[in-house]
Amino acid sequence: MMVKHTILIVEDDEPMRFLLDVLLKTDYDLIFKNDGLAGMKWLSEGNIPSVIVSDFKTPKMNGFDFFNSISQSGMFSEIPFVFITNRKEEAFKNRCLALGAKGYLQKPFDPEQLHEMLDGIFKEIEQ
């Protein structure tokens, strides 16, 4: 039996959490946290997901600050990070990708696009 990859999803919007759960739970083990601070706490407890998927706008610690914390940490900087956000500015998307994010999806997104992005990241990890 194949082991499922674990995805840490940082998202505070209940309908979006529900949608991501429906779209991804068959193929992946999902861990949901409301904000980057809760995500950092979960990581600091020794949990290492295969990928982190984060909204940009979350309470306490937004997705960009969470991404920066992950990127600058020695332990977690190798975890692929994907943004799912309402932000439409191309400059912001380019900045996130230039800083090392593996993916960027703008809400509303095509579920097929999310699956293709994750498949690509997991193929890269497994090589």
Side-chain angles (χ1 to χ4, degrees):
M1 187 174 144
M2 207 170 92
V3 176
K4 282 186 177 182
H5 286 285
T6 299
I7 300 176
L8 170 59
I9 299 175
V10 177
E11 173 64 69
D12 63 318
D13 181 67
E14 278 301 323
M16 181 56 65
R17 287 169 71 118
F18 178 78
L19 175 65
L20 290 168
D21 186 53
V22 168
L23 291 174
L24 300 174
K25 69 181 174 188
T26 304
D27 299 319
Y28 307 106
D29 287 328
L30 306 176
I31 306 296
F32 286 93
K33 298 296 174 188
N34 275 334
D35 58 65
L37 213 52
M40 285 303 294
K41 182 179 184 307
W42 184 79
L43 290 169
S44 69
E45 292 167 352
N47 301 296
I48 306 291
S50 304
V51 170
I52 297 170
V53 173
S54 180
D55 186 14
F56 175 77
K57 191 176 178 190
T58 58
K60 296 184 185 164
M61 178 189 273
N62 71 40
F64 196 71
D65 290 342
F66 179 46
F67 172 66
N68 281 332
S69 296
I70 296 295
S71 300
Q72 294 167 10
S73 74
M75 282 180 60
F76 311 121
S77 60
E78 297 300 313
I79 301 170
F81 198 102
V82 174
F83 281 101
I84 297 181
T85 179
N86 288 321
R87 292 198 61 169
K88 295 174 178 20
E89 313 92 88
E90 196 67 24
F92 181 73
K93 174 184 177 181
N94 292 338
R95 183 169 167 222
C96 291
L97 295 173
L99 289 171
K102 286 287 185 189
Y104 189 100
L105 285 178
Q106 188 178 310
K107 296 176 187 175
F109 59 87
D110 177 353
E112 190 65 32
Q113 195 179 5
L114 175 61
H115 276 285
E116 287 173 11
M117 183 178 291
L118 291 171
D119 288 347
I121 289 169
F122 289 125
K123 281 186 182 124
E124 201 176 294
I125 290 172
E126 292 163 0
Q127 287 181 347

Short mmCIF file of all heavy atoms in Angstrom, two decimals, residues 8 11-12 15 19 28-29 32 44 49 52 56 66 68 74 80 88 101-102 121:
data_model
loop_
_atom_site.label_atom_id
_atom_site.label_comp_id
_atom_site.label_asym_id
_atom_site.label_seq_id
_atom_site.Cartn_x
_atom_site.Cartn_y
_atom_site.Cartn_z
N LEU A 8 -0.01 20.15 5.11
CA LEU A 8 -0.45 21.10 6.13
C LEU A 8 -1.17 22.23 5.39
O LEU A 8 -0.59 22.87 4.52
CB LEU A 8 0.76 21.67 6.90
CG LEU A 8 0.47 22.86 7.82
CD1 LEU A 8 -0.56 22.51 8.89
CD2 LEU A 8 1.76 23.36 8.45
N GLU A 11 -5.54 27.73 6.61
CA GLU A 11 -6.70 28.42 6.02
C GLU A 11 -7.72 28.64 7.12
O GLU A 11 -8.07 27.71 7.83
CB GLU A 11 -7.29 27.55 4.90
CG GLU A 11 -8.58 28.03 4.31
CD GLU A 11 -8.47 29.36 3.60
OE1 GLU A 11 -7.82 29.43 2.54
OE2 GLU A 11 -9.05 30.33 4.12
N ASP A 12 -8.20 29.88 7.26
CA ASP A 12 -9.17 30.18 8.31
C ASP A 12 -10.61 30.21 7.82
O ASP A 12 -11.54 30.20 8.61
CB ASP A 12 -8.83 31.50 9.01
CG ASP A 12 -8.91 32.68 8.05
OD1 ASP A 12 -8.46 32.56 6.90
OD2 ASP A 12 -9.43 33.75 8.46
N PRO A 15 -15.64 27.56 4.52
CA PRO A 15 -16.01 26.98 3.23
C PRO A 15 -14.79 26.55 2.39
O PRO A 15 -14.83 25.51 1.74
CB PRO A 15 -16.78 28.12 2.53
CG PRO A 15 -17.31 28.95 3.66
CD PRO A 15 -16.25 28.88 4.73
N LEU A 19 -13.89 22.81 1.10
CA LEU A 19 -13.60 22.53 -0.31
C LEU A 19 -12.26 21.80 -0.45
O LEU A 19 -12.16 20.79 -1.15
CB LEU A 19 -13.57 23.83 -1.12
CG LEU A 19 -13.16 23.68 -2.59
CD1 LEU A 19 -14.18 22.85 -3.36
CD2 LEU A 19 -12.98 25.05 -3.23
N TYR A 28 -4.54 12.48 -0.01
CA TYR A 28 -3.54 12.98 0.93
C TYR A 28 -4.07 12.97 2.36
O TYR A 28 -5.27 13.05 2.59
CB TYR A 28 -3.16 14.44 0.58
CG TYR A 28 -2.73 14.61 -0.85
CD1 TYR A 28 -3.57 15.24 -1.77
CD2 TYR A 28 -1.50 14.15 -1.31
CE1 TYR A 28 -3.18 15.42 -3.10
CE2 TYR A 28 -1.11 14.31 -2.63
CZ TYR A 28 -1.96 14.94 -3.52
OH TYR A 28 -1.58 15.09 -4.82
N ASP A 29 -3.14 12.90 3.34
CA ASP A 29 -3.49 13.12 4.73
C ASP A 29 -3.44 14.63 4.94
O ASP A 29 -2.43 15.27 4.61
CB ASP A 29 -2.50 12.43 5.66
CG ASP A 29 -2.68 10.92 5.68
OD1 ASP A 29 -3.83 10.46 5.52
OD2 ASP A 29 -1.68 10.21 5.85
N PHE A 32 -5.24 20.64 9.14
CA PHE A 32 -5.73 22.01 8.98
C PHE A 32 -5.36 22.85 10.20
O PHE A 32 -5.56 22.42 11.34
CB PHE A 32 -7.26 22.02 8.82
CG PHE A 32 -7.72 21.55 7.48
CD1 PHE A 32 -8.06 20.22 7.28
CD2 PHE A 32 -7.82 22.42 6.41
CE1 PHE A 32 -8.49 19.76 6.04
CE2 PHE A 32 -8.26 21.98 5.17
CZ PHE A 32 -8.59 20.65 4.98
N SER A 44 6.73 22.97 15.00
CA SER A 44 7.72 22.96 16.08
C SER A 44 7.54 21.77 17.02
O SER A 44 8.44 21.44 17.79
CB SER A 44 7.68 24.27 16.87
OG SER A 44 6.49 24.37 17.60
N PRO A 49 5.30 18.03 7.26
CA PRO A 49 4.42 17.65 6.14
C PRO A 49 5.22 17.55 4.85
O PRO A 49 6.35 18.05 4.76
CB PRO A 49 3.44 18.82 6.08
CG PRO A 49 4.26 19.99 6.52
CD PRO A 49 5.18 19.46 7.59
N ILE A 52 3.19 22.40 2.29
CA ILE A 52 2.35 23.35 3.02
C ILE A 52 1.55 24.14 1.99
O ILE A 52 2.11 24.65 1.02
CB ILE A 52 3.20 24.33 3.86
CG1 ILE A 52 3.98 23.57 4.93
CG2 ILE A 52 2.30 25.41 4.49
CD1 ILE A 52 5.02 24.40 5.66
N PHE A 56 -3.14 33.50 2.06
CA PHE A 56 -2.32 34.66 2.40
C PHE A 56 -2.89 35.38 3.62
O PHE A 56 -2.18 35.73 4.54
CB PHE A 56 -2.22 35.64 1.23
CG PHE A 56 -1.48 36.90 1.60
CD1 PHE A 56 -0.11 36.89 1.70
CD2 PHE A 56 -2.17 38.05 1.91
CE1 PHE A 56 0.58 38.02 2.09
CE2 PHE A 56 -1.49 39.19 2.30
CZ PHE A 56 -0.11 39.18 2.39
N PHE A 66 4.22 33.67 7.55
CA PHE A 66 4.41 32.24 7.79
C PHE A 66 5.42 31.67 6.79
O PHE A 66 6.37 30.98 7.16
CB PHE A 66 3.06 31.53 7.69
CG PHE A 66 3.10 30.05 7.90
CD1 PHE A 66 3.80 29.48 8.95
CD2 PHE A 66 2.40 29.20 7.05
CE1 PHE A 66 3.81 28.10 9.15
CE2 PHE A 66 2.40 27.83 7.24
CZ PHE A 66 3.11 27.28 8.29
N ASN A 68 7.74 33.30 5.18
CA ASN A 68 9.06 33.83 5.51
C ASN A 68 9.68 33.08 6.69
O ASN A 68 10.87 32.77 6.68
CB ASN A 68 9.01 35.33 5.80
CG ASN A 68 8.96 36.14 4.53
OD1 ASN A 68 9.44 35.72 3.49
ND2 ASN A 68 8.34 37.31 4.61
N GLY A 74 15.99 26.66 9.46
CA GLY A 74 16.83 25.58 8.96
C GLY A 74 16.05 24.28 8.81
O GLY A 74 16.25 23.53 7.86
N PRO A 80 8.08 22.23 0.47
CA PRO A 80 7.45 23.02 -0.60
C PRO A 80 6.24 23.78 -0.07
O PRO A 80 5.45 23.25 0.71
CB PRO A 80 7.03 21.97 -1.62
CG PRO A 80 7.89 20.78 -1.34
CD PRO A 80 8.13 20.81 0.15
N LYS A 88 -4.63 39.34 -6.42
CA LYS A 88 -4.60 39.24 -7.88
C LYS A 88 -3.38 39.91 -8.51
O LYS A 88 -3.14 39.75 -9.69
CB LYS A 88 -5.86 39.88 -8.46
CG LYS A 88 -7.14 39.15 -8.08
CD LYS A 88 -8.37 39.89 -8.54
CE LYS A 88 -9.67 39.22 -8.26
NZ LYS A 88 -9.78 38.21 -7.27
N ALA A 101 8.44 30.10 -3.19
CA ALA A 101 7.18 29.34 -3.15
C ALA A 101 7.14 28.43 -4.37
O ALA A 101 7.57 28.80 -5.46
CB ALA A 101 5.99 30.29 -3.15
N LYS A 102 6.65 27.22 -4.18
CA LYS A 102 6.57 26.24 -5.28
C LYS A 102 5.33 26.42 -6.12
O LYS A 102 5.25 25.92 -7.23
CB LYS A 102 6.58 24.81 -4.73
CG LYS A 102 7.91 24.37 -4.22
CD LYS A 102 8.84 24.12 -5.38
CE LYS A 102 10.15 23.56 -4.89
NZ LYS A 102 11.14 23.50 -5.94
N ILE A 121 4.72 18.77 -7.73
CA ILE A 121 5.59 18.94 -6.55
C ILE A 121 5.99 17.57 -5.99
O ILE A 121 7.16 17.34 -5.68
CB ILE A 121 4.87 19.78 -5.47
CG1 ILE A 121 4.78 21.24 -5.94
CG2 ILE A 121 5.61 19.70 -4.13
CD1 ILE A 121 3.88 22.12 -5.09
#
